[in-house]
Amino acid sequence: MKWFLALFSSTLGRKVVMALTGLFLISFLVVHLIGNLQLLKDDGGHAFNVYADFMGHNPIIQTIAKGNFAFILIHIFWSLMLTIKNRKARGKGYDVPGKSSAWSSRNMGILGTIILVFLVIHLQHFWAQMHFGQMPVVNYDGKEVKDIYTLVNHWFHVPWYVTVYVFSMAAVAFHLVHGFQSAFQTLGLNHLKYNPIIKFVGYAYALIVPALFALIPVYMFFN
């Protein structure tokens, strides 16, 4: 037990936690994106509301969702600890890479802060409203479900929110460019033979997923 506590109180242990929670959040983004893409269907929000109702009442999904919140908090906490420790030890920022390193790797702290601010705004306008606010309902085949589509449609027609959303997705993209590859390296899963594949998949993921997230509010704003 002592070795376990010693590992996760060390810099290496904290990086392992960051890598594991980061990879979980990366996989969660794909699931979240699949649901959000239902917003693009021209059905008055039917597909999205049915999806949201299923996600909100499925016990397995809800358990995973709670775990996701926990992983987000752990990821944020350990990133702050690592940043503070690096600054104290070397007087510089996150990971303190050389000047030849990528811009994203030198600014992970800034990118993470932007994403954190976005998450607070996003949760306030959607999660908090869905759980604690007054929500309209719609009837599908005799079953009443929360009309979350109307809430989303409202905010995706607010210019400042759409701008913040798109800007934040750009920050997510840069964060993923470094985070994806860094997670594999931290866990010792990188190899000279497979590094080009990991790099390609990482860049593709960092480009496609945030771009699709950003596409949704832009499409809805102009339609």
Side-chain angles (χ1 to χ4, degrees):
M1 189 63 180
K2 288 184 178 180
W3 70 266
F4 182 83
L5 293 175
L7 172 64
F8 285 94
S9 63
S10 66
T11 300
L12 175 61
R14 291 170 181 171
K15 287 186 176 181
V16 169
V17 172
M18 287 285 291
L20 291 174
T21 54
L23 289 175
F24 176 86
L25 295 174
I26 284 172
S27 62
F28 167 78
L29 280 178
V30 175
V31 177
H32 192 43
L33 175 62
I34 292 172
N36 281 15
L37 287 174
Q38 307 306 311
L39 289 164
L40 300 180
K41 292 184 177 180
D42 187 18
D43 61 358
H46 180 275
F48 180 74
N49 282 335
V50 170
Y51 157 81
D53 183 69
F54 169 77
M55 297 292 283
H57 291 88
N58 186 289
I60 297 176
I61 298 298
Q62 284 302 296
T63 301
I64 295 174
K66 290 180 175 62
N68 181 63
F69 274 112
F71 284 144
I72 289 175
L73 293 175
I74 292 170
H75 195 77
I76 293 171
F77 176 78
W78 284 124
S79 66
L80 289 173
M81 293 299 99
L82 284 170
T83 300
I84 292 171
K85 185 170 183 178
N86 283 334
R87 285 185 181 279
K88 286 183 178 180
R90 307 177 190 181
K92 295 183 181 181
Y94 185 95
D95 242 5
V96 200
K99 291 183 179 179
S100 61
S101 61
W103 180 88
S104 57
S105 66
R106 298 196 305 272
N107 293 278
M108 287 294 278
I110 296 173
L111 293 169
T113 301
I114 294 172
I115 296 169
L116 176 59
V117 172
F118 166 74
L119 280 175
V120 172
I121 296 172
H122 190 62
L123 290 173
Q124 177 188 358
H125 287 120
F126 292 103
W127 183 86
Q129 182 64 27
M130 287 186 294
H131 287 81
F132 307 110
Q134 294 293 325
M135 290 290 299
V137 297
V138 288
N139 191 297
Y140 297 137
D141 299 323
K143 179 183 179 182
E144 286 191 344
V145 301
K146 291 182 179 180
D147 187 10
I148 300 174
Y149 175 83
T150 296
L151 176 65
V152 175
N153 189 52
H154 165 73
W155 282 109
F156 283 177
H157 279 86
V158 177
W160 74 263
Y161 187 83
V162 174
T163 302
V164 169
Y165 196 103
V166 172
F167 177 77
S168 300
M169 289 307 104
V172 169
F174 281 109
H175 195 77
L176 288 171
V177 164
H178 174 70
F180 191 96
Q181 297 175 56
S182 178
F184 280 88
Q185 182 176 355
T186 298
L187 296 175
L189 300 177
N190 58 324
H191 189 278
L192 288 177
K193 183 178 180 180
Y194 304 114
N195 280 349
I197 299 175
I198 294 173
K199 186 175 182 179
F200 173 79
V201 173
Y203 273 102
Y205 183 97
L207 174 65
I208 295 172
V209 173
L212 288 175
F213 268 114
L215 169 67
I216 297 169
V218 172
Y219 176 84
M220 293 182 71
F221 181 81
F222 288 105
N223 289 274

